[in-house]
């Protein structure tokens, strides 16, 4: 493939993007094709390539600027490239393939609109970035945030994350802590001479089992928190009482908490236990920001098409990067997020068409 057609039906464009393998750290080819297509098939955009990030923006002097951002990478392919179309038992047409949900269908919608919306009522910024599916240190949007922050200025950011055609507002924060216990090693035949560090995990696990998750309503979006053990480690050999054990705990917290407040909360949950507490990873949440004028207009466009509406985003996404800069940000794209990364990942083609229509109405002011 030497080119992609941005003016093609966004369903066909999604299939074309899926057929370009772009596992994280291997996005050069897809970034080159996206850059070339934007340069050759759009009008009025300033276009910049930064590593494997492709950026484009208009300068029409309009009163508001909308950012549309999507990642180009996928998780490893699982015998699901090239793409294929299937009609299910209900007669619905599905597009199968790696990244069809997460998130090449969202990318296709943004690219198609960039090429076909001639007179937007907002100035537009498009960001197609790499390495979202792996460690945050490699995230291309993070690189832009640090090295070209002026490209992140705007009044509303729309991330093409799969949301089933709903507006999923903001996101929850995430925190991982490692709780370690210490004991005394001994031969298991003389266990009374030791102190089993794994057994010392029991009160930690008990508190997790009894934990009651908080629900928080922000701007009409209900966020439900969760505190979960996600990894347990311990043991030396089959005949040794272990002297060390640890459990990793993940806290998904509502965006009304800061990271420091989340840390304090988790410390309080395990207060009084004999353990070592270490924060291993954290990322703040993002408030929904649905009261901002640009966000209200998007909601009105979605409602005018009789679509799903608005709900909270439970997982963490890159909307957090925009919210930290005071920019309202939402997740909005085709596809069921529960199908992301699966071998049978697939998206209803009607959702791609519907999301395209809703965003076209929003960008042209035809609400």
């Amino acid at each position: 493939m030497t080119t992609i057609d941005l003016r093609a039906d966004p369903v066909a464009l999604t299939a074309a993007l899926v057929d370009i393998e772009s596992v994280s750290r291997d996005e050069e080819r897809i970034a080159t094709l996206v850059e070339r297509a934007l340069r050759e098939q759009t009008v009025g955009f300033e276009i910049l390539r930064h590593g494997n990030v492709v950026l484009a923006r208009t300068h029409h002097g309009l009163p508001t600027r909308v950012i549309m951002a999507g990642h180009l990478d996928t998780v490893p392919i699982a015998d699901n490239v090239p793409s294929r179309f299937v009609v299910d038992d209900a007669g619905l047409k599905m597009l199968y393939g790696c990244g069809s949900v997460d998130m090449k269908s969202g990318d296709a919608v943004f690219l198609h609109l960039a090429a076909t919306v001639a007179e937007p009522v907002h100035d537009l910024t498009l960001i197609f970035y790499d390495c979202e599916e792996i460690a945050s240190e490699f995230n291309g949007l993070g690189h832009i945030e640090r090295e070209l922050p002026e490209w992140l200025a705007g009044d509303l950011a729309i991330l093409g994350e799969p949301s089933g055609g709903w507006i999923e507002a903001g996101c929850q924060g995430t925190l991982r802590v490692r709780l370690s216990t210490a004991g005394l090693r001994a031969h298991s035949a003389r266990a009374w001479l030791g102190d089993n560090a794994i057994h010392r995990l029991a009160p930690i696990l008990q508190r997790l089992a009894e934990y009651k998750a908080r629900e928080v309503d922000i701007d009409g979006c209900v966020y439900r928190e969760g505190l979960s053990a996600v990894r347990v480690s311990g043991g030396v050999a089959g005949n040794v009482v272990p002297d060390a054990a640890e459990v990793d705990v993940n806290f998904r917290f509502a965006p009304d908490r800061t990271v420091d407040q989340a840390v304090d909360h988790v410390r309080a949950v395990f207060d009084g236990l004999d353990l070592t507490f270490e924060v291993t990873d954290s990322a703040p949440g993002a408030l929904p920001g649905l009261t901002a004028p640009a966000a209200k207009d998007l909601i009105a466009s979605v409602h005018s098409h009789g679509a799903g509406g608005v709900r909270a985003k439970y997982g963490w996404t890159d909307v957090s990067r925009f919210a930290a800069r005071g920019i309202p940000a939402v997740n909005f794209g085709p596809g069921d997020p529960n199908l992301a990364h699966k071998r049978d990942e697939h998206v209803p083609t009607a959702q791609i068409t519907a999301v395209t229509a809703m965003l076209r109405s929003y960008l042209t002011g035809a609400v």
Side-chain angles (χ1 to χ4, degrees):
M1 181 183 297
T2 58
T3 188
I4 51 176
D5 184 0
L6 305 189
R7 295 181 178 275
D9 186 299
V11 173
L13 180 54
T14 300
L17 293 176
V18 170
D19 291 344
I20 305 167
E21 296 186 12
S22 58
V23 176
S24 303
R25 308 301 297 273
D26 189 25
E27 301 97 334
E28 182 175 4
R29 180 165 174 256
I30 194 170
T32 297
L33 289 170
V34 166
E35 178 192 10
R36 182 183 304 159
L38 285 169
R39 291 190 185 279
E40 295 176 352
Q41 301 173 41
T42 64
V43 177
F45 281 90
E46 172 195 1
I47 297 169
L48 176 67
R49 175 77 174 265
H50 184 76
N52 284 328
V53 181
V54 182
L55 305 109
R57 63 184 173 186
T58 61
H59 298 282
H60 300 313
L62 296 168
T64 52
R65 177 172 293 277
V66 172
I67 303 166
M68 298 189 293
H71 63 82
L72 296 171
D73 62 320
T74 71
V75 296
I77 292 166
D79 299 321
N80 51 1
V81 171
S83 60
R84 59 190 177 91
F85 290 96
V86 175
V87 176
D88 69 10
D89 294 340
L92 299 176
K93 189 176 182 180
M94 304 289 175
L95 172 61
Y96 280 72
C98 184
S100 56
V101 169
D102 190 15
M103 54 182 291
K104 290 184 175 180
S105 54
D107 291 336
V109 170
F110 294 165
L111 286 165
H112 178 76
L113 293 171
T116 59
V117 173
E119 296 183 0
V121 297
H122 313 276
D123 267 310
L124 303 179
T125 298
L126 288 89
I127 305 174
F128 299 98
Y129 58 102
D130 58 339
C131 294
E132 190 271 349
E133 298 289 6
I134 55 177
S136 61
E137 65 184 286
F138 302 110
N139 186 302
L141 189 59
H143 294 167
I144 299 304
E145 184 179 24
R146 293 186 293 273
E147 299 162 24
L148 296 169
E150 67 275 12
W151 279 85
L152 301 190
D155 298 282
L156 176 69
I158 302 172
L159 272 290
E161 292 283 348
S163 65
W166 286 66
I167 295 173
E168 293 191 332
C171 70
Q172 299 208 133
T174 181
L175 172 72
R176 281 195 294 273
V177 300
R178 182 161 294 158
L179 308 179
S180 304
T181 58
L184 180 65
R185 191 178 295 196
H187 196 296
S188 59
R190 305 170 190 81
W192 60 89
L193 299 177
D195 183 358
N196 196 310
I198 293 179
H199 294 179
R200 287 179 169 267
L201 296 178
I204 296 173
L205 299 176
Q206 184 64 32
R207 292 197 183 182
L208 286 169
E210 295 173 351
Y211 183 79
K212 302 299 183 183
R214 187 179 68 131
E215 293 188 3
V216 185
D217 187 320
I218 306 173
D219 288 354
C221 297
V222 178
Y223 297 87
R224 180 172 180 173
E225 297 184 328
L227 189 65
S228 307
V230 294
R231 188 187 70 91
V232 175
S233 177
V236 180
N239 59 351
V240 178
V241 172
D243 57 354
E246 59 191 29
V247 56
D248 287 352
V249 174
N250 182 214
F251 182 39
R252 296 298 177 120
F253 56 93
D256 64 334
R257 297 189 199 261
T258 66
V259 169
D260 287 343
Q261 290 170 337
V263 171
D264 289 344
H265 175 73
V266 175
R267 284 188 186 277
V269 170
F270 300 105
D271 185 51
L273 299 185
D274 185 12
L275 54 81
T276 300
F277 187 102
E278 176 191 3
V279 176
T280 59
D281 187 41
S282 65
L287 290 166
L290 297 179
T291 58
K296 287 183 176 179
D297 290 346
L298 177 61
I299 294 169
S301 177
V302 171
H303 284 164
S304 72
H305 284 78
V310 181
R311 62 190 178 195
K313 180 68 174 181
Y314 288 143
W316 187 90
T317 75
D318 279 319
V319 297
S320 176
R321 300 182 188 276
F322 294 100
R325 306 176 71 84
I327 302 170
V330 300
N331 306 279
F332 183 57
D336 180 351
N338 294 321
L339 294 175
H341 303 179
K342 298 189 72 171
R343 185 179 293 272
D344 66 343
E345 183 176 355
H346 61 278
V347 58
T349 60
Q351 275 190 18
I352 301 174
T353 302
V355 169
T356 304
M358 286 184 276
L359 280 178
R360 185 182 299 280
S361 293
Y362 170 62
L363 296 178
T364 59
V367 178

